[in-house]
Amino acid sequence: MLISSSFLTSKNIPKDLTLLNETNTDYIHVDVMDGKFVKEKSLPFKEMRHIYKYTSKRLDVHLMVEKPEKFIPDYAKLNAEYITFNIEVDSNIESCLKLIKSYAIKCGLAISPDTKIKELVPYLPLVDMILVLSVYPGKGGQAFIPETKEKVNELKTLLKEYKSRAQISVDGGINNETKKEVSKADILVAGSFILNSDNYQEKIDSLRK
C-alpha cells in the first residue's frame, strides 16, 4: 500500500513537511482550494511554490478548484507525480487531463461521495489515478463515510472491465480502522491520523500493514 501524507490540517506547515520528509511516505498530498469549488481556501501558489525547501518528496496534488486549467500550469512546475481535479467541475475534463499529461505528469480524477462511479467511464482511457473522496471535499479531520467501501469495490470492478490500469486512491478519515474498509485501494491519503501523533513514521507504517 502506498501512502500519501496530507498537511491540510497542519498548524505549522514548514515543520510538518520537514518531519514528513524524514519518513518513507511515498507522496506529499497537496490540497489546493480556491474558495469557490469548496468554501475553504488554501495557501496561494506564491507560497506553495516554496514547498521544495521543506520536502524533496514527489507531490500528489489535488485541485479542489472551479477552473483546473487555470491552476495546472503553476502546479506542473512543482515536483508533482500526480495532478488530480474533481470530475464535478464545469471545465472541459478531457482537455484538462490532456493538459496535465502535456507536462509529463500523471493525471487523475477525484470523485465526491455523492457522484456515481459510472460518471468516470468516458475518461478511463486517459486517467492514471482515481481519487475516491471518503469525506466531503474541503475540510480535514472529517469522519470516514462507510459507503466508500462499496464505491471502491465497484470502481475496482469497473477498472477491470475497461482494462484500465488506473490506481485507486482514497482520501478522507483514513486511520488504522478505516483502512481495512478500503483494502482494495492502491494509495491511502492520510492527514490528521499522522499529524496528530508524536511519531509520523509509526503511523505511516501502521497504514501500510
Side-chain angles (χ1 to χ4, degrees):
M1 184 72 74
L2 299 175
I3 306 300
S4 187
S5 298
S6 168
F7 59 94
L8 181 61
T9 59
S10 175
K11 302 291 189 292
N12 187 335
I13 293 173
K15 178 189 171 189
D16 284 328
L17 285 174
T18 301
L19 289 171
L20 287 170
N21 195 55
E22 293 169 0
T23 70
N24 66 3
T25 189
D26 298 282
Y27 307 110
I28 297 295
H29 187 83
V30 180
D31 286 301
V32 180
M33 302 175 288
D34 62 356
K36 296 174 184 176
F37 184 77
V38 292
K39 290 180 182 178
E40 290 73 20
K41 287 191 84 170
S42 56
L43 292 173
F45 181 74
K46 65 181 179 182
E47 293 182 42
M48 202 76 89
R49 65 191 173 92
H50 297 299
I51 193 170
Y52 73 91
K53 293 181 180 179
Y54 309 105
T55 181
S56 58
K57 300 282 186 184
R58 298 304 300 272
L59 306 180
D60 165 28
V61 179
H62 178 196
L63 301 176
M64 286 181 272
V65 300
E66 212 170 59
K67 297 289 182 184
E69 62 272 23
K70 292 182 179 179
F71 291 79
I72 291 165
D74 277 342
Y75 283 87
K77 296 171 188 172
L78 303 182
N79 187 26
E81 177 89 8
Y82 291 98
I83 295 180
T84 298
F85 62 91
N86 277 67
I87 194 170
E88 299 87 8
V89 296
D90 289 330
S91 299
N92 184 313
I93 291 174
E94 186 173 333
S95 68
C96 287
L97 292 171
K98 287 179 177 178
L99 177 59
I100 295 168
K101 282 186 173 291
S102 74
Y103 292 100
I105 293 170
K106 295 172 186 173
C107 66
L109 278 176
I111 184 164
S112 294
D114 295 336
T115 303
K116 302 293 185 188
I117 287 293
K118 65 181 181 181
E119 301 292 328
L120 294 164
V121 170
Y123 312 108
L124 290 181
L126 284 171
V127 294
D128 301 293
M129 181 174 74
I130 304 295
L131 177 61
V132 179
L133 298 180
S134 42
V135 297
Y136 287 95
K139 285 186 178 178
Q142 295 182 67
F144 178 88
I145 296 171
E147 289 78 13
T148 307
K149 178 179 181 178
E150 286 71 36
K151 203 164 194 175
V152 169
N153 291 346
E154 184 186 346
L155 177 57
K156 193 80 173 178
T157 302
L158 187 75
L159 293 179
K160 190 174 181 181
E161 182 184 339
Y162 282 85
K163 295 181 172 58
S164 168
R165 294 184 178 180
Q167 300 278 288
I168 299 175
S169 183
V170 183
D171 181 7
I174 296 296
N175 57 38
N176 268 343
E177 292 305 313
T178 57
K179 70 169 188 180
K180 300 170 189 172
E181 301 297 302
V182 289
S183 58
K184 290 186 178 179
D186 304 291
I187 304 168
L188 295 179
V189 180
S192 302
F193 177 68
I194 297 170
L195 298 188
N196 291 345
S197 74
D198 295 325
N199 190 325
Y200 293 1
Q201 184 62 63
E202 191 176 85
K203 292 298 183 182
I204 291 165
D205 289 341
S206 71
L207 291 173
R208 291 193 196 278
K209 294 173 184 173

